[in-house]
Amino acid sequence: MTRLYAGPVDLFDGTGPKPERKRGVLIEDGRFTWVGPHARAPKEAREASALDAEGAFVSPGLFDCHVHLCFDGEADFLAEGRVSEATAAIKAARNAERHLASGITTVRDLGTMGSVAVDVGRAVEEGRVSGARVIGSGRALTITGGHGWNSFAEQVDGAEGFRSGVRRQVKAGARSIKVVATGGVLTPGVTLDFVSLTDEELAAAVDEAHRWNLPIAAHAHGEEGIVRAARAGVDSIEHGSVASAATMRVLAEHGTFHVPTFAAHAGIVGHPDEVAPYVLEKGRQIFEAAKTAFRNAVKAGVRHAVGTDAGTPFNRHGRTPDEIVRMIETGLSPAKALLAATSNAAALCRVDDRLGTIEPGKLADLVVYREDPLQDVTAFTRPALVIKEGVLAVDGG
């Protein structure tokens, strides 16, 4: 039996709003088996290997709920989508490793080439490559000519088309589903507020995903598309860039998560001379609006989960901690931002039975910080140790 012990530490276990002081955490064979006051640690803790964590801040392993592992964040997103699936797989494996190095032990991929992200996730699970755990969605589902048709999405039409599209992703191994409910920044010829899906198409996709007990995410920038998707029962709105207080109250009423992806907007507007003109124009349209929408969501009591849209232009993998900082700077408390990266994210991805909190019986994913990130939010960018399923994956000193 392999045992690890961390204590005494300041423990943010993902179940409450603040850390508990002088706690201890025992890990045995990849799972948490005891959590409690360090002074009352069981004898097994004294027999375990001690983690270099005394006096440190410890949290559950973090999530990024919106990534595209096949894409590296180059200026021309569409060109990246034209590489071979073999090349895409190499990139995806490397990017999963980058996430792990930053404290992200689980990512949700929301659009891939073929089944690449699903296959890389399987390779990580089987121990053939090292990296963050991958909850893959396979191909996103978009209408003919809709956003993403030329990069990460499969084109389907009609209620039965979306139902069968969900089934194809499930057959390929998907553990979540994504639909494209509005236009997007990176697809030419489709405006941001274009409403892509009919109510019947949304209903069919949501029903089919939930029949398989899978979460379903909706890409949505424009207000009407956001409202329609939330009322249809999607689990999360991705981006949600243009949303009034009334719209965000709809999300709150339906229990819909919001994944704002500030990093995607920042990457585009921060490189005006390197992205395509149509990309820059649309990125600028939502850059400030997205901040207002986020504040509306916070006021409405919408649940948030962290996601970066990593892989879009100048939005590199492994920078999720910067997104947590952006969420805090835009109005979310540090504790709620950390919950958005841990227990909230696990609930959204429907893996909260085994991940997202530090509790006995759950998989032993945790991150050790030398400084308290709830007091100095930049500490999120400096993980000292990353443990995934009881194994020291990263030692940053």
Side-chain angles (χ1 to χ4, degrees):
M1 176 177 286
T2 302
R3 289 194 180 109
L4 292 174
Y5 181 74
V9 298
D10 292 342
L11 180 65
F12 186 96
D13 64 10
T15 67
K18 59 183 180 180
E20 296 184 84
R21 311 297 177 185
K22 297 183 178 180
R23 309 296 280 182
V25 179
L26 180 62
I27 298 169
E28 298 180 284
D29 288 343
R31 291 184 181 269
F32 300 118
T33 57
W34 180 85
V35 180
H38 171 68
R40 299 179 187 174
K43 64 179 180 65
E44 289 85 358
R46 295 190 294 272
E47 298 167 356
S49 298
L51 284 172
D52 180 18
E54 184 174 346
F57 183 102
V58 173
S59 86
L62 308 184
F63 282 66
D64 188 322
C65 293
H66 190 140
V67 305
H68 297 280
L69 291 173
C70 289
F71 298 84
D72 277 342
E74 299 300 323
D76 191 338
F77 184 80
L78 299 184
E80 279 208 84
R82 292 192 290 268
V83 304
S84 68
E85 288 193 14
T87 298
I90 293 169
K91 291 162 63 174
R94 181 180 59 188
N95 287 329
E97 191 169 25
R98 285 173 172 156
H99 280 287
L100 186 60
S102 71
I104 309 304
T105 56
T106 305
V107 298
R108 182 176 64 158
D109 188 287
L110 287 183
T112 186
M113 298 174 62
S115 62
V116 166
V118 171
D119 294 339
V120 169
R122 190 175 294 119
V124 170
E125 189 173 343
E126 293 171 356
R128 289 185 282 119
V129 296
S130 173
R133 183 182 297 105
V134 181
I135 298 172
S137 303
R139 301 276 281 169
L141 300 176
T142 193
I143 61 169
T144 298
H147 173 60
W149 74 267
N150 50 3
S151 51
F152 57 80
E154 176 185 344
Q155 299 177 85
V156 295
D157 294 297
E160 288 310 306
F162 274 84
R163 191 177 294 278
S164 60
V166 170
R167 291 173 180 171
R168 279 191 295 277
Q169 307 318 309
V170 174
K171 180 182 177 181
R175 289 163 33 191
S176 73
I177 298 297
K178 178 185 177 183
V179 294
V180 179
T182 72
V185 173
L186 297 174
T187 304
V190 185
T191 62
L192 291 167
D193 60 355
F194 175 72
V195 179
S196 305
L197 307 187
T198 66
D199 291 343
E200 292 76 17
E201 288 169 331
L202 277 166
V206 169
D207 178 68
E208 193 62 34
H210 288 170
R211 276 162 42 87
W212 292 94
N213 195 31
L214 298 180
I216 179 168
H219 160 107
H221 284 292
E223 199 142 27
E224 184 180 349
I226 293 169
V227 170
R228 285 191 180 196
R231 287 178 174 162
V234 300
D235 296 280
S236 64
I237 296 294
E238 309 297 312
H239 316 304
S241 306
V242 181
S244 65
T247 291
M248 285 307 184
R249 285 196 292 272
V250 173
L251 270 65
E253 290 164 6
H254 287 79
T256 312
F257 283 90
H258 179 213
V259 183
T261 68
F262 290 125
H265 314 148
I268 290 167
V269 301
H271 295 81
D273 297 327
E274 297 171 83
V275 298
Y278 76 87
V279 171
L280 179 61
E281 179 184 356
K282 290 196 279 187
R284 283 175 169 168
Q285 287 175 20
I286 58 174
F287 184 68
E288 292 299 331
K291 297 176 184 178
T292 300
F294 182 75
R295 294 186 186 105
N296 288 337
V298 173
K299 291 177 183 177
V302 174
R303 290 187 296 174
H304 283 95
V306 171
T308 58
D309 207 4
T312 56
F314 302 99
N315 181 11
R316 310 292 186 184
H317 295 271
R319 296 180 181 174
T320 309
D322 293 329
E323 181 74 8
I324 300 173
V325 173
R326 288 188 183 97
M327 293 173 77
I328 294 167
E329 291 174 343
T330 315
L332 202 60
S333 73
K336 286 187 177 180
L338 186 48
L339 290 173
T342 55
S343 53
N344 275 12
L348 168 58
C349 295
R350 300 195 179 192
V351 293
D352 49 329
D353 59 329
R354 56 191 182 278
L355 291 167
T357 59
I358 298 175
E359 298 179 276
K362 292 196 172 183
L363 293 174
D365 287 11
L366 59 81
V367 187
V368 175
Y369 301 95
R370 299 298 177 205
E371 303 92 11
D372 182 345
L374 303 186
Q375 301 300 319
D376 175 7
V377 296
T378 66
F380 281 120
T381 67
R382 300 186 296 274
L385 304 174
V386 181
I387 310 295
K388 180 175 171 237
E389 294 189 29
V391 176
L392 180 61
V394 177
D395 186 347

